[in-house]
């Protein structure tokens, strides 16, 4: 390629043809235009006369200039002009394109995709084999190099993951690299992490490494905390830019269910700082509706924090040891009500009434012991994840509770009697509190000087006592102890909940301590052992762009794995449920490393931004065509031959030639079913597939593109050469011309009329097949909107009894040997006509004898058209899965399409006994 400023040419030698333009100019000037013929009878008087001074007329200069411009456009067009050509990079041989493929890369994903397209274009021009690898979805078989044209259609399948590359997995993949030499283009997300330097060194040993990084700022949001009736946020940024401000928003539904901004605030970054904090209050009713917190104008998984039970308004049950009818200030529940009421719903009553309500926290104020039945039920409630908060008092001190052996609902054993401070017969002066230890949930709370304890129940010394103390007096005596019980916890305040034994309930510290224990209860335990034996299933998950998606068929994880929180493909960030408990697993954790990647000196680093390379050949050739057409019209006018008929002919020719240069999609979408005999003959001359027009333009376009892609695969791999697919209206069009009809289900489709039902039933009885596709892959269970619409549509049709595709069905072997039938989604729920009860396996055959017809319907929800869909140029329109696994899934989806069409056109011939030896051999291999 040679460049002249912003314009380059891929075939510069063609520009030498410009040198012949002066010669052409001279020839055109020397040749006169054709004479004009006029019929004039009196011209006979001039016969025999000769003009001694004759002179030839010449072509007008402006017409010559028009023709020169047309020829120049042709020459420039054939020279391969490129606007803003990219600088050619040195290097030959294989090229590895390495994508970090993580959520930080989502901020520049569109630019990186454009750059990746440019890289493949350049590699294609230089005939370099290319391999594309995403570090978040590593291929199991190392690096496989292919042509750039092959990989160009797979670009849409690469999407950023909601997690970072696994260092151990990258190291294992690095060991699979052969000693082959290749260059590397590394599309970095800009984030430093373990193993990056080692991988860089390994790649530089095999060739040159060029780094591509985006320049857009990257922000992340740490988990939101709730303390002192305030929501506390910490925002991180990758680069310590100058002072700036970012907006945080709390999103959730309004009373009508529409998502709105429930609250927001601005976090201020100081110059040179990489973090900023923000706190603001929300009413409990609003806080209870929050589903997520986001950084405004950021589209990455790290810029979103999902809300779970930890921020939900809690239900807290208060139970006292005895009814109190005296002064409110002496009531053990009075201060608890005052402290908890702003942020929680308070329940009161007897234990038998409280437990069925399943509150988040149960507080027992001076309750010594419980009846056996209630105690067993309370133990089960705690083991299932509840928080039992107990306060001491005169009744507990006078009882035998947890004396000789530790009671199951007490965190420690107690000494007989109690301890009194500050009285005549006391052990000493009233004691204040020690500063809270870092392991205590109260760590960081300020202790007022006027808080003191005068009486308490005392814990018996025990080997495990030190590990259960979360608050102590100045002399080291335990004041608050805690232990785990199943998935729940039991906490004991060794003093009263009122001001009888201490003045803690009179302070703000009491409110803060209760808030940390009770209002913030229900989150995920930090100790994996507390979640042993539990299984959590994903409800909703985040993708790399921060969009909330359905979890689909993601398998559950055990509680220990969830507590560790190692985010990856098997544990994506999102909402995880265990029975009625929901916890959020977010991308960023508090204090997580978040620094920019650094590269060795001398490394070539480029950005994604830049002026896009644009090919101009097509436009210049189209301009030449228009100029030549204009020349034809002008020539006709000068010679007097321009009339209405001639104008129509030339205009029609120009229009036809111009349309051939336009994108074929314009004419493709205009393909309609036959309306007369000639069109019917044209359609039936070739195999033609159809899709049902749903009234949704986008859905109809995908259905059309899906059948176009399936047709291309059939042409490449089989002897079937389908014509262009068509869209049919089941209310009006004849269906018998099409052996196969694809019907995507949309909730907005109208009900079928009697005429349509008659047409469809006749089509199904005459041997046609309809593929009903709900496109939801069972995401919405069995009662989603698409499945309800399918039941409405199919309920009036003559559809036989159905069954899931059996393992020996001909669909599994009509062309390829298949075990499942994925599309854009993967689900095993694919249904066909049930086989007859007398279908039996013949001796020596691995399959039943099903050679009795073809199922008229296939029903599923895997969105096959989206997996098949290609543009007119053959590029895939929609992503399928991620990386290598996504490409494999798309390949199996195409194979299913081939099997389906083979099954439609050839029937059950593959169940004939003659095919058994070959099938057994293929199965064995």
């Amino acid at each position: 390629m040679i460049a002249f400023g912003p314009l380059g040419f891929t075939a510069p030698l063609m520009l030498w043809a410009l040198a012949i333009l002066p010669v052409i100019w001279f020839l055109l000037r020397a040749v006169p235009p054709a004479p004009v013929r006029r019929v004039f009878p009196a011209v006979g008087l001039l016969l025999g006369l000769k003009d001694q001074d004759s002179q030839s007329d010449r072509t007008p200069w402006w017409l010559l200039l028009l023709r020169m411009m047309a020829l120049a456009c042709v020459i420039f067009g054939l020279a391969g002009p490129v606007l803003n050509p990219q600088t050619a990079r040195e290097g030959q041989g294989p090229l590895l394109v390495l994508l970090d493929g993580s959520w930080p890369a989502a901020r520049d994903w569109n630019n990186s995709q454009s750059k990746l397209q440019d890289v493949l274009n350049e590699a294609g021009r230089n005939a370099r084999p290319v391999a594309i690898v995403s570090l978040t979805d590593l291929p199991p078989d190392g690096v496989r190099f292919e042509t750039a044209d092959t990989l160009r259609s797979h670009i849409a399948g690469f999407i950023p993951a909601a997690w970072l590359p696994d260092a151990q997995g990258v190291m294992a993949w690095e060991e699979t690299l052969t000693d082959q030499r290749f260059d590397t283009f590394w599309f970095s997300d800009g984030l430093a992490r373990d193993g990056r330097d080692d991988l860089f060194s390994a790649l530089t040993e095999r060739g040159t490494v060029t780094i591509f990084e985006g320049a857009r700022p990257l922000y992340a949001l740490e988990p939101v905390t709730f303390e002192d009736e305030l929501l506390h946020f910490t925002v991180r940024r990758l680069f310590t830019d100058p002072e700036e401000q970012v907006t945080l928003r709390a999103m959730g539904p309004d009373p009508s269910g529409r998502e709105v901004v429930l609250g927001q605030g601005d976090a201020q970054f100081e110059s040179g700082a990489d973090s900023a904090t923000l706190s603001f209050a929300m009413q409990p009713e609003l806080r209870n509706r929050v589903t997520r917190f986001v950084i405004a104008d950021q589209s990455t998984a790290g810029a979103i924090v999902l809300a779970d039970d930890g921020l939900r308004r809690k239900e807290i049950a208060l139970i006292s040891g005895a009814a109190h009818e005296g002064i409110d200030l002496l009531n053990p529940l009075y201060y608890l009500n005052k402290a908890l009421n702003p942020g929680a719903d308070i329940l009161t009553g007897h234990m038998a009434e409280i437990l069925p309500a399943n509150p988040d926290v149960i507080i027992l104020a001076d309750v010594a012991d419980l009846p056996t039945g209630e105690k067993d039920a309370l133990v089960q409630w705690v083991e299932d994840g509840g928080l039992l908060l107990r306060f001491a008092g005169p009744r507990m001190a006078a009882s035998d509770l947890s004396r000789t052996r530790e009671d199951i609902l007490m965190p420690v054993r107690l000494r007989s009697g109690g301890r009194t401070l500050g009285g005549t017969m006391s052990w000493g002066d009233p004691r204040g509190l020690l500063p809270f230890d870092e392991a205590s949930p109260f760590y960081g709370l300020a202790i007022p000087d006027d808080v003191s304890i005068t009486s308490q129940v005392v814990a018996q010394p025990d080997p495990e006592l030190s590990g259960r103390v979360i608050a102590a007096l100045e002399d080291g005596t335990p004041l608050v102890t805690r232990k785990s019980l199943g998935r729940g916890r039991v906490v004991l305040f060794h003093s009263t909940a009122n001001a009888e034994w201490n003045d803690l309930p009179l302070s703000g510290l009491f409110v803060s301590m209760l808030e940390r224990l009770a209002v913030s209860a229900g989150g995920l335990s930090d100790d994996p052992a507390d979640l042993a034996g539990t299984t959590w299933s994903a409800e909703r998950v985040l993708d790399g762009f921060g969009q909330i998606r359905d979890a689909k068929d993601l398998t559950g994880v055990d509680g220990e794995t969830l507590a560790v929180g190692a985010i990856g493909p098997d544990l994506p960030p999102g909402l995880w449920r265990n029975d009625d408990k929901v916890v959020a697993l977010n991308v960023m954790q508090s204090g997580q490393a978040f620094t920019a990647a650094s590269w060795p000196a001398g490394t070539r680093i480029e950005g994604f931004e830049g002026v896009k390379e644009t090919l101009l050949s097509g436009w210049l050739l189209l301009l030449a065509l228009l100029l030549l057409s204009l020349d034809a019209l002008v020539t006709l006018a000068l010679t007097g031959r321009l009339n209405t008929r001639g104008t129509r002919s030339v205009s029609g020719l120009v229009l036809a030639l111009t349309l051939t240069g336009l994108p074929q999609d314009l004419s493709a979408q205009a393909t309609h079913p036959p309306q007369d005999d000639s069109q019917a003959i044209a359609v039936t001359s070739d195999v033609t597939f159809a899709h049902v027009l749903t009234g949704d333009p986008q859905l109809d376009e995908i259905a059309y593109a899906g059948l176009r892609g399936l047709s291309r695969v059939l042409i490449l791999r089989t002897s079937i050469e389908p014509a262009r697919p068509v869209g049919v209206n089941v209310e009006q069009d004849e269906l018998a011309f099409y052996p196969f009809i694809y019907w995507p289900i949309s909730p907005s489709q109208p009900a079928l009329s009697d005429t349509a039902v008659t047409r469809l039933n006749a089509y199904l009885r005459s041997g046609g097949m309809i593929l009903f596709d709900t496109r939801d892959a069972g995401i919405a269970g069995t009662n989603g909107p698409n499945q309800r619409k399918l039941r409405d549509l199919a309920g009036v049709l003559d559809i036989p009894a159905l069954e899931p595709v059996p393992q020996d069905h001909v669909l599994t072997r009509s062309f390829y040997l298949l075990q499942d039938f994925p599309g854009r989604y993967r689900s095993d729920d694919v249904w066909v006509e049930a086989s007859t009860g007398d279908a039996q396996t013949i001796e020596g055959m691995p399959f039943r004898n099903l050679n009795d017809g073809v199922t008229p319907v296939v029903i599923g929800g895997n969105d096959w058209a989206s997996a098949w869909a290609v543009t007119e140029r053959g590029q895939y329109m929609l992503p399928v899965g991620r990386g290598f696994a996504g490409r494999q899934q798309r390949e199996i989806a195409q194979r299913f399409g081939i099997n389906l069409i083979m099954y439609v056109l050839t029937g059950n011939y593959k169940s004939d006994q003659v095919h058994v030896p070959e099938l057994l051999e293929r199965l064995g291999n």
Side-chain angles (χ1 to χ4, degrees):
M1 176 183 288
I2 188 172
F4 301 96
L7 187 64
F9 295 91
T10 58
L13 293 180
M14 279 297 302
L15 298 177
W16 285 105
L18 294 173
I20 67 174
L21 289 181
V23 178
I24 297 176
W25 176 281
F26 175 78
L27 293 176
L28 292 176
R29 289 286 291 175
V31 177
V36 179
R37 293 180 178 272
R38 290 288 184 266
V39 179
F40 183 54
V43 77
L45 300 174
L46 304 178
L47 293 176
L49 297 179
K50 293 184 178 180
D51 186 358
Q52 299 299 327
D53 298 324
S54 61
Q55 180 177 337
S56 299
D57 195 5
R58 296 184 177 182
T59 304
W61 68 269
W62 52 268
L63 184 57
L64 288 177
L65 181 61
L66 181 67
R67 293 172 179 173
M68 293 301 101
M69 291 173 59
L71 290 176
C73 287
V74 172
I75 293 173
F76 278 113
L78 295 178
V82 180
L83 183 63
N84 301 312
Q86 303 300 310
T87 304
R89 300 176 179 86
E90 298 180 357
Q92 296 294 328
L95 174 65
L96 171 64
V97 178
L98 193 65
L99 309 176
D100 275 347
S102 56
W103 66 263
R107 75 189 192 277
D108 260 327
W109 194 252
N110 290 336
N111 290 333
S112 68
Q113 292 291 86
S114 298
K115 178 62 71 173
L116 178 58
Q117 185 72 49
D118 292 341
V119 166
L120 291 181
N121 290 339
E122 181 181 330
R125 290 194 294 265
N126 297 329
R128 301 186 70 177
V130 184
I132 303 179
V133 173
S134 175
L135 292 180
T136 54
D137 188 19
L138 294 168
D141 53 352
V143 178
R144 183 173 60 183
F145 292 96
E146 303 176 76
T147 64
D149 291 337
T150 301
L151 291 177
R152 193 176 289 113
S153 62
H154 295 300
I155 291 180
F158 291 95
I159 57 176
W163 51 87
L164 299 176
D166 176 57
Q168 297 297 325
V170 171
M171 185 181 300
W173 174 79
E174 176 189 325
E175 295 175 354
T176 66
L177 298 178
T178 63
D179 295 332
Q180 180 183 6
R181 298 284 298 178
F182 56 81
D183 295 334
T184 302
F185 285 175
W186 191 337
F187 285 59
S188 169
D189 59 14
L191 200 64
R193 58 177 172 272
D194 295 338
R196 185 186 287 272
D197 293 340
D198 294 337
L199 180 59
F200 182 86
S201 300
L203 294 175
T204 53
E205 293 175 359
R206 292 167 173 82
T208 61
V209 179
T210 302
I211 306 299
F212 294 89
E213 280 188 350
R216 297 187 61 186
L218 178 64
Y219 302 92
L221 183 60
E222 292 188 357
V224 180
T225 59
F226 180 67
E227 296 178 13
D228 302 326
E229 297 297 320
L230 294 175
L231 294 168
H232 301 277
F233 303 84
T234 299
V235 189
R236 308 278 295 279
R237 63 177 178 178
L238 191 60
F239 301 101
T240 55
D241 296 325
E243 181 178 336
E244 66 174 329
Q245 183 174 281
V246 296
T247 300
L248 301 178
R249 293 172 179 164
M251 309 297 296
D254 63 7
S256 65
R258 182 173 56 92
E259 187 176 63
V260 295
V261 178
L262 300 177
Q264 71 176 30
D266 295 326
Q268 185 71 35
F269 282 98
E270 301 296 334
S271 179
D274 61 359
S275 65
T277 58
L278 170 68
S279 300
F280 63 77
M282 291 187 69
Q283 294 294 328
E285 293 78 9
L286 290 178
R287 192 180 73 243
N288 205 38
R289 295 211 307 261
V290 173
T291 57
R292 58 195 174 99
F293 301 94
V294 300
I295 303 176
D297 303 323
Q298 296 296 311
S299 299
T300 67
I304 182 173
V305 167
L306 299 175
D308 58 9
D309 290 347
L311 291 178
R312 181 175 55 84
R313 185 179 177 91
K314 305 301 181 187
E315 288 187 346
I316 301 178
L318 303 180
I319 301 176
S320 177
H324 190 87
E325 299 179 355
I327 303 174
D328 285 342
L329 295 178
L330 298 180
N331 188 338
L333 304 182
Y334 175 80
Y335 294 99
L336 293 173
N337 262 304
K338 290 291 184 180
L340 296 171
N341 192 46
D345 294 326
I346 304 301
L347 305 179
T348 58
H350 299 290
M351 185 65 69
E353 301 169 341
I354 293 297
L355 286 177
N358 193 26
D360 299 287
V361 183
I362 295 179
I363 299 180
L364 302 182
D366 196 18
V367 175
D369 208 351
L370 297 167
T372 302
E374 292 183 357
K375 186 173 184 177
D376 292 341
L378 183 58
V379 169
Q380 184 62 50
W381 176 84
V382 175
E383 290 179 341
D384 290 340
L387 172 64
L388 176 62
L389 182 57
R390 307 191 69 162
F391 284 85
R395 298 180 185 282
M396 181 179 290
S399 70
D400 294 330
L401 178 66
S402 197
R403 304 295 182 181
T404 57
R405 60 184 181 85
E406 181 182 303
D407 188 88
I408 191 171
L409 291 178
M410 291 286 287
V412 294
R413 292 189 303 122
L414 300 178
R415 289 183 178 180
S416 299
R419 181 189 187 195
T420 303
L421 302 170
T424 304
M425 301 296 293
S426 68
W427 295 359
D429 296 329
R431 300 290 185 180
L433 276 66
L434 278 177
F436 300 114
D437 187 77
E438 291 185 4
S440 170
F442 311 132
Y443 177 72
L445 294 179
I447 301 175
D449 296 333
D450 57 352
V451 171
S452 61
I453 309 299
T454 58
S455 295
Q456 67 171 136
V457 292
V458 182
Q460 285 275 19
D462 219 341
E464 297 180 348
L465 179 60
S466 59
R468 296 182 178 183
V469 177
I470 57 177
L473 300 182
E474 293 172 335
D475 60 359
T477 306
L479 177 64
V480 185
T481 53
R482 179 182 65 180
K483 78 170 183 180
S484 298
L485 180 60
R487 287 184 285 136
R489 291 182 176 178
V490 179
V491 179
L492 172 64
F493 275 74
H494 290 239
S495 194
T496 57
N498 58 14
E500 186 176 356
W501 285 9
N502 63 94
D503 51 13
L504 178 61
L506 303 178
S507 70
L509 177 62
F510 185 68
V511 177
S512 299
M513 294 174 72
L514 290 179
E515 182 182 284
R516 291 204 178 181
L517 286 175
V519 179
S520 60
L524 190 66
S525 172
D526 295 330
D527 187 358
D530 293 344
L531 298 177
T534 63
T535 301
W536 298 74
S537 59
E539 276 194 338
R540 308 273 280 172
V541 296
L542 286 176
D543 64 13
F545 296 104
Q547 299 296 316
I548 302 176
R549 308 291 186 187
D550 290 296
K552 300 176 186 174
D553 53 354
L554 191 67
T555 58
V557 299
D558 56 78
E560 298 94 321
T561 301
L562 188 66
V564 173
I567 295 175
D570 297 326
L571 187 67
L575 295 176
W576 293 79
R577 175 178 290 276
N578 174 260
D579 296 331
D580 60 342
K581 294 186 179 296
V582 176
V583 298
L585 188 62
N586 291 299
V587 171
M588 284 293 293
Q589 303 301 320
S590 298
Q592 180 176 329
F594 193 70
T595 56
S598 59
W599 303 98
T603 304
R604 181 175 179 177
I605 302 176
E606 299 184 17
F608 295 137
E609 296 78 7
V611 183
K612 183 175 178 58
E613 185 179 88
T614 305
L615 301 178
L616 300 178
S617 295
W619 293 106
L620 287 173
L621 293 175
L622 180 60
L623 178 59
L625 177 62
L626 294 175
L627 292 175
L628 291 174
S629 302
L630 180 60
D631 173 72
L633 291 173
V634 172
T635 302
L636 290 175
L638 291 177
T639 57
R641 299 175 183 175
L642 187 62
N643 52 42
T644 304
R645 181 177 179 183
T647 303
R648 258 199 319 267
S649 302
V650 174
S651 300
L653 178 61
V654 172
L655 179 61
L657 292 175
T658 303
L659 286 177
T660 59
L662 294 178
Q664 295 299 316
D665 287 339
L666 297 178
S667 57
Q669 292 302 325
T671 304
H672 297 288
Q675 300 298 329
D676 53 38
D677 291 345
S678 61
Q679 290 178 317
I681 292 173
V683 171
T684 54
S685 298
D686 295 305
V687 176
T688 304
F689 306 137
H691 64 91
V692 174
L693 296 173
T694 64
D696 183 340
Q698 183 177 5
L699 182 57
D700 292 340
E701 180 183 358
I702 293 175
Y704 176 86
L707 293 181
R708 176 174 57 199
L710 178 59
S711 298
R712 290 196 172 206
V713 174
L714 286 167
I715 293 173
L716 291 173
R717 304 188 188 184
T718 72
S719 60
I720 304 173
E721 297 183 359
R724 283 185 175 275
V726 299
V728 295
N729 185 335
V730 296
E731 299 286 347
Q732 302 174 0
D733 300 325
E734 177 58 56
L735 307 179
F737 302 127
Y738 315 105
F740 172 75
I741 296 177
Y742 175 75
W743 193 333
I745 302 300
S746 169
S748 60
Q749 294 180 26
L752 297 174
S753 66
D754 293 340
T755 302
V757 171
T758 302
R759 288 177 181 271
L760 289 167
N761 284 334
Y763 174 78
L764 294 175
R765 286 194 293 267
S766 62
M769 175 188 284
I770 299 177
L771 172 60
F772 292 97
D773 190 352
T774 59
R775 304 177 298 110
D776 55 11
I779 292 173
T782 60
N783 200 35
N786 289 2
Q787 297 192 16
R788 291 196 299 270
K789 175 57 68 173
L790 174 62
R791 287 197 291 269
D792 294 340
L793 296 173
V796 295
L797 299 179
D798 186 14
I799 294 179
L802 302 175
E803 66 175 355
V805 178
Q807 293 182 352
D808 60 350
H809 196 276
V810 181
L811 266 177
T812 64
R813 61 185 189 279
S814 57
F815 194 84
Y816 290 102
L817 294 178
L818 300 177
Q819 296 179 343
D820 56 357
F821 315 106
R824 192 180 187 192
Y825 307 121
R826 183 184 294 272
S827 172
D828 296 332
D829 296 330
V830 180
W831 298 75
V832 295
E833 180 182 5
S835 57
T836 58
D838 57 353
Q840 298 179 355
T841 301
I842 300 176
E843 185 178 355
M845 292 182 63
F847 313 111
R848 291 178 296 169
N849 182 15
L850 300 174
N851 198 8
D852 56 356
V854 176
T855 176
V857 296
V858 176
I859 299 177
N862 289 341
D863 197 5
W864 289 285
S866 294
W868 301 332
V870 298
T871 64
E872 190 66 31
R873 296 184 178 182
Q875 294 183 341
Y876 295 120
M877 294 176 58
L878 298 168
V880 174
R882 298 184 58 259
F884 178 78
R887 294 197 295 274
Q888 289 293 99
Q889 183 172 328
R890 192 192 299 275
E891 170 64 23
I892 300 302
Q894 292 174 337
R895 294 186 180 188
F896 166 69
I898 294 176
N899 275 23
L900 185 64
I901 298 304
M902 283 294 186
Y903 178 56
V904 170
L905 298 181
T906 64
N908 281 333
Y909 85 105
K910 273 295 179 72
S911 66
D912 291 341
Q913 192 170 1
V914 68
H915 299 288
V916 170
E918 183 178 355
L919 290 172
L920 288 176
E921 181 179 357
R922 291 176 63 190
L923 287 171
N925 293 332

